[in-house]
Amino acid sequence: MQGKPVVSLVVPFYNEGATIEMFFDAITSAIDNIDAVEFEIVCIDDGSKDDTLARLLAVSRSDSRVRVIELSRNFGKEAALTAGLDAAIGDAVIPMDADLQDPPELLVQMIDRWRQGADVVLARRTDRHGDSMAKRGTANLFYRIHNRVSHVEIPSNVGDFRLMNRASVDALKRLPERQRFMKGMFAWIGFRTEVVDYMRPARASGTSKFTGWKLWNFALEGFTSFSSVPLRIWTYIGLCGTLLTLSYLAFIVIRTIIYGIDVPGYASLLVSILFLGSLQLLSIGILGEYIGRIYMESKQRPLYVVRQTYGDNHES
């Protein structure tokens, strides 16, 4: 790999055995036509329960560019992606998914932009017809809300698929948090950034591992990782509630002085108690999200555990 710059492709796998042959056929077809750089393909098996690892090892034995990192269990995509970034040795690193929704033919454009001076090259989805209408709508809503409340703006319709030079990868590796929201971390480091657009195809095989519940928790992770606005909002809600209460108290006192004492209604009292109680529980839940993050960070556990690495004389 000496003499030419090296580009590392970082690909997490979790139960993707059915797509591996198609993925490597597409990848090798794309990179074999790029002569300006050398490639390594860092594959992370994130505790797959199917034959993903066996298929990856078979590929690594036939292609010296392929390295396989086997994690000791399923740690999640963010941790697997971090493991790949830590292991990549390239002058530039490109994280991508194994489902071929990140088209390999886009690699040549990204590498050209990097060689022309860009530190980071983002792949932006202009057409997400491969995703459901609900997923497209909720994704757009997430980006709008997150960018309004956070001090770090995440580019809309940009996922993990991007090229990062060595300086930006090293900067990312310096971020120590255990609860990782990679989209926000990618945006936080900055660097000179360019964008290439593409149409996002449907998955080559299988189904997404992100259920609606996981996507909701992922969105909460994004909000709490890069913004304290949810906490500040409840300060203002409490202030408004106090002012309304004092105003209502003044109204009751004045009305009592003028009209005398009456018997208040049970329904209005019950609604007021339930409403204020619900607000308190919701605010406690938001506080719990942030306290939970502090708790997880304070343990200082490693993000992932590598069981074994394979390929390119790195077996251990």
Side-chain angles (χ1 to χ4, degrees), residues 158-169:
V158 173
D160 297 330
F161 189 32
R162 65 190 63 215
L163 180 148
M164 298 178 290
N165 68 0
R166 174 47 55 182
S168 61
V169 173

PDB file of all heavy atoms in Angstrom, residues 158-169:
ATOM      1  N   VAL A 158     -28.241  13.576   5.098  1.00  0.00           N
ATOM      2  CA  VAL A 158     -26.873  13.070   5.049  1.00  0.00           C
ATOM      3  C   VAL A 158     -26.728  12.041   6.168  1.00  0.00           C
ATOM      4  O   VAL A 158     -27.008  12.342   7.335  1.00  0.00           O
ATOM      5  CB  VAL A 158     -25.845  14.200   5.232  1.00  0.00           C
ATOM      6  CG1 VAL A 158     -24.436  13.622   5.354  1.00  0.00           C
ATOM      7  CG2 VAL A 158     -25.915  15.178   4.070  1.00  0.00           C
ATOM      8  N   GLY A 159     -26.318  10.844   5.827  1.00  0.00           N
ATOM      9  CA  GLY A 159     -26.130   9.796   6.817  1.00  0.00           C
ATOM     10  C   GLY A 159     -24.660   9.625   7.168  1.00  0.00           C
ATOM     11  O   GLY A 159     -23.877  10.571   7.160  1.00  0.00           O
ATOM     12  N   ASP A 160     -24.277   8.381   7.461  1.00  0.00           N
ATOM     13  CA  ASP A 160     -22.884   8.095   7.802  1.00  0.00           C
ATOM     14  C   ASP A 160     -21.995   8.021   6.565  1.00  0.00           C
ATOM     15  O   ASP A 160     -20.769   8.095   6.680  1.00  0.00           O
ATOM     16  CB  ASP A 160     -22.792   6.768   8.562  1.00  0.00           C
ATOM     17  CG  ASP A 160     -23.538   6.808   9.891  1.00  0.00           C
ATOM     18  OD1 ASP A 160     -23.621   7.904  10.483  1.00  0.00           O
ATOM     19  OD2 ASP A 160     -24.045   5.752  10.327  1.00  0.00           O
ATOM     20  N   PHE A 161     -22.586   7.864   5.391  1.00  0.00           N
ATOM     21  CA  PHE A 161     -21.828   7.703   4.152  1.00  0.00           C
ATOM     22  C   PHE A 161     -21.141   9.030   3.807  1.00  0.00           C
ATOM     23  O   PHE A 161     -21.783   9.993   3.422  1.00  0.00           O
ATOM     24  CB  PHE A 161     -22.758   7.279   3.030  1.00  0.00           C
ATOM     25  CG  PHE A 161     -22.076   6.878   1.753  1.00  0.00           C
ATOM     26  CD1 PHE A 161     -20.825   6.268   1.762  1.00  0.00           C
ATOM     27  CD2 PHE A 161     -22.689   7.090   0.527  1.00  0.00           C
ATOM     28  CE1 PHE A 161     -20.204   5.891   0.586  1.00  0.00           C
ATOM     29  CE2 PHE A 161     -22.084   6.719  -0.655  1.00  0.00           C
ATOM     30  CZ  PHE A 161     -20.839   6.117  -0.622  1.00  0.00           C
ATOM     31  N   ARG A 162     -19.834   9.047   3.949  1.00  0.00           N
ATOM     32  CA  ARG A 162     -19.042  10.251   3.721  1.00  0.00           C
ATOM     33  C   ARG A 162     -17.569   9.869   3.635  1.00  0.00           C
ATOM     34  O   ARG A 162     -17.173   8.783   4.054  1.00  0.00           O
ATOM     35  CB  ARG A 162     -19.228  11.238   4.872  1.00  0.00           C
ATOM     36  CG  ARG A 162     -18.688  10.699   6.206  1.00  0.00           C
ATOM     37  CD  ARG A 162     -19.091  11.577   7.352  1.00  0.00           C
ATOM     38  NE  ARG A 162     -20.539  11.597   7.505  1.00  0.00           N
ATOM     39  CZ  ARG A 162     -21.211  12.683   7.891  1.00  0.00           C
ATOM     40  NH1 ARG A 162     -20.562  13.813   8.157  1.00  0.00           N
ATOM     41  NH2 ARG A 162     -22.519  12.633   8.013  1.00  0.00           N
ATOM     42  N   LEU A 163     -16.772  10.744   3.102  1.00  0.00           N
ATOM     43  CA  LEU A 163     -15.314  10.567   3.119  1.00  0.00           C
ATOM     44  C   LEU A 163     -14.736  11.558   4.114  1.00  0.00           C
ATOM     45  O   LEU A 163     -15.101  12.738   4.103  1.00  0.00           O
ATOM     46  CB  LEU A 163     -14.716  10.779   1.733  1.00  0.00           C
ATOM     47  CG  LEU A 163     -13.193  10.616   1.616  1.00  0.00           C
ATOM     48  CD1 LEU A 163     -12.811  10.060   0.239  1.00  0.00           C
ATOM     49  CD2 LEU A 163     -12.437  11.927   1.840  1.00  0.00           C
ATOM     50  N   MET A 164     -13.822  11.081   4.960  1.00  0.00           N
ATOM     51  CA  MET A 164     -13.123  11.933   5.917  1.00  0.00           C
ATOM     52  C   MET A 164     -11.625  11.743   5.769  1.00  0.00           C
ATOM     53  O   MET A 164     -11.150  10.602   5.660  1.00  0.00           O
ATOM     54  CB  MET A 164     -13.540  11.581   7.346  1.00  0.00           C
ATOM     55  CG  MET A 164     -15.015  11.790   7.639  1.00  0.00           C
ATOM     56  SD  MET A 164     -15.456  11.310   9.333  1.00  0.00           S
ATOM     57  CE  MET A 164     -15.267   9.537   9.207  1.00  0.00           C
ATOM     58  N   ASN A 165     -10.881  12.841   5.745  1.00  0.00           N
ATOM     59  CA  ASN A 165      -9.432  12.703   5.666  1.00  0.00           C
ATOM     60  C   ASN A 165      -8.879  12.283   7.026  1.00  0.00           C
ATOM     61  O   ASN A 165      -9.596  12.229   8.030  1.00  0.00           O
ATOM     62  CB  ASN A 165      -8.779  13.980   5.138  1.00  0.00           C
ATOM     63  CG  ASN A 165      -8.894  15.153   6.107  1.00  0.00           C
ATOM     64  OD1 ASN A 165      -9.462  15.038   7.187  1.00  0.00           O
ATOM     65  ND2 ASN A 165      -8.347  16.293   5.705  1.00  0.00           N
ATOM     66  N   ARG A 166      -7.588  11.989   7.070  1.00  0.00           N
ATOM     67  CA  ARG A 166      -6.991  11.467   8.292  1.00  0.00           C
ATOM     68  C   ARG A 166      -7.093  12.452   9.451  1.00  0.00           C
ATOM     69  O   ARG A 166      -7.358  12.060  10.594  1.00  0.00           O
ATOM     70  CB  ARG A 166      -5.533  11.092   8.012  1.00  0.00           C
ATOM     71  CG  ARG A 166      -4.715  10.656   9.213  1.00  0.00           C
ATOM     72  CD  ARG A 166      -5.380   9.641  10.101  1.00  0.00           C
ATOM     73  NE  ARG A 166      -5.821   8.445   9.403  1.00  0.00           N
ATOM     74  CZ  ARG A 166      -6.471   7.447   9.997  1.00  0.00           C
ATOM     75  NH1 ARG A 166      -6.790   7.517  11.278  1.00  0.00           N
ATOM     76  NH2 ARG A 166      -6.852   6.385   9.306  1.00  0.00           N
ATOM     77  N   ALA A 167      -6.950  13.739   9.184  1.00  0.00           N
ATOM     78  CA  ALA A 167      -7.028  14.736  10.257  1.00  0.00           C
ATOM     79  C   ALA A 167      -8.416  14.741  10.894  1.00  0.00           C
ATOM     80  O   ALA A 167      -8.549  14.826  12.126  1.00  0.00           O
ATOM     81  CB  ALA A 167      -6.682  16.121   9.715  1.00  0.00           C
ATOM     82  N   SER A 168      -9.467  14.647  10.083  1.00  0.00           N
ATOM     83  CA  SER A 168     -10.822  14.662  10.636  1.00  0.00           C
ATOM     84  C   SER A 168     -11.132  13.365  11.386  1.00  0.00           C
ATOM     85  O   SER A 168     -11.823  13.382  12.406  1.00  0.00           O
ATOM     86  CB  SER A 168     -11.847  14.904   9.527  1.00  0.00           C
ATOM     87  OG  SER A 168     -11.796  13.884   8.548  1.00  0.00           O
ATOM     88  N   VAL A 169     -10.605  12.250  10.915  1.00  0.00           N
ATOM     89  CA  VAL A 169     -10.798  10.980  11.629  1.00  0.00           C
ATOM     90  C   VAL A 169     -10.101  11.024  12.984  1.00  0.00           C
ATOM     91  O   VAL A 169     -10.662  10.610  14.009  1.00  0.00           O
ATOM     92  CB  VAL A 169     -10.283   9.795  10.792  1.00  0.00           C
ATOM     93  CG1 VAL A 169     -10.319   8.502  11.609  1.00  0.00           C
ATOM     94  CG2 VAL A 169     -11.110   9.625   9.530  1.00  0.00           C
TER      95      VAL A 169
END
